[in-house]
Coordinates of all heavy atoms in Angstrom, one line a residue:
R227 N 20.6 54.8 -25.8 CA 20.4 53.8 -26.8 C 21.7 53.0 -27.0 O 21.7 51.8 -27.2 CB 20.0 54.3 -28.1 CG 18.5 54.7 -28.1 CD 17.6 53.5 -28.1 NE 17.7 52.7 -29.3 CZ 17.2 51.5 -29.4 NH1 16.5 51.0 -28.5 NH2 17.3 50.8 -30.5
P251 N 12.0 46.3 -29.3 CA 11.0 47.0 -30.1 C 10.3 48.1 -29.3 O 10.3 48.0 -28.0 CB 10.0 45.9 -30.6 CG 10.7 44.7 -30.4 CD 11.7 44.9 -29.2
L332 N 24.0 38.0 -34.8 CA 24.3 38.2 -33.4 C 25.8 38.7 -33.3 O 26.1 39.5 -32.4 CB 24.1 37.0 -32.6 CG 22.6 36.6 -32.4 CD1 22.4 35.2 -31.8 CD2 21.9 37.7 -31.4
L399 N 14.0 22.6 -24.2 CA 14.9 23.7 -23.9 C 14.9 23.9 -22.3 O 13.9 23.9 -21.7 CB 14.3 25.0 -24.5 CG 15.2 26.3 -24.3 CD1 16.5 26.1 -25.1 CD2 14.4 27.5 -24.8
D400 N 16.1 23.9 -21.8 CA 16.3 24.0 -20.3 C 16.0 25.5 -20.0 O 16.7 26.4 -20.3 CB 17.7 23.7 -19.9 CG 18.0 22.2 -20.1 OD1 17.1 21.4 -20.0 OD2 19.2 21.9 -20.4
I451 N -7.2 44.0 -33.9 CA -7.8 44.0 -35.2 C -9.2 44.7 -35.2 O -9.5 45.6 -35.9 CB -7.9 42.6 -35.8 CG1 -6.5 42.1 -36.2 CG2 -8.8 42.6 -37.1 CD1 -6.5 40.7 -36.6
L560 N -12.1 31.0 -30.7 CA -11.8 31.3 -32.1 C -11.2 30.1 -32.8 O -11.4 29.8 -34.0 CB -10.9 32.5 -32.3 CG -11.6 33.8 -31.8 CD1 -10.6 35.0 -31.9 CD2 -12.9 34.1 -32.5
H662 N -33.1 21.0 -12.5 CA -33.3 21.9 -13.6 C -32.7 21.5 -14.9 O -33.3 21.5 -16.0 CB -32.7 23.3 -13.2 CG -32.9 24.4 -14.2 ND1 -34.1 24.9 -14.6 CD2 -31.9 25.0 -15.0 CE1 -33.9 25.8 -15.5 NE2 -32.6 25.9 -15.8
E663 N -31.4 20.9 -14.8 CA -30.8 20.4 -16.0 C -31.5 19.2 -16.6 O -31.7 19.1 -17.8 CB -29.3 20.0 -15.7 CG -28.4 21.2 -15.3 CD -27.1 20.7 -14.8 OE1 -26.3 20.1 -15.6 OE2 -26.8 20.9 -13.6
L815 N -36.3 -1.9 9.0 CA -37.0 -3.1 9.4 C -36.3 -3.8 10.6 O -37.0 -4.2 11.6 CB -37.1 -4.1 8.2 CG -37.8 -5.4 8.5 CD1 -39.3 -5.2 9.0 CD2 -37.8 -6.4 7.3

Side-chain angles (χ1 to χ4, degrees):
R227 285 286 298 171
L332 288 170
L399 187 65
D400 294 330
I451 289 174
L560 297 179
H662 180 66
E663 294 173 65
L815 177 61

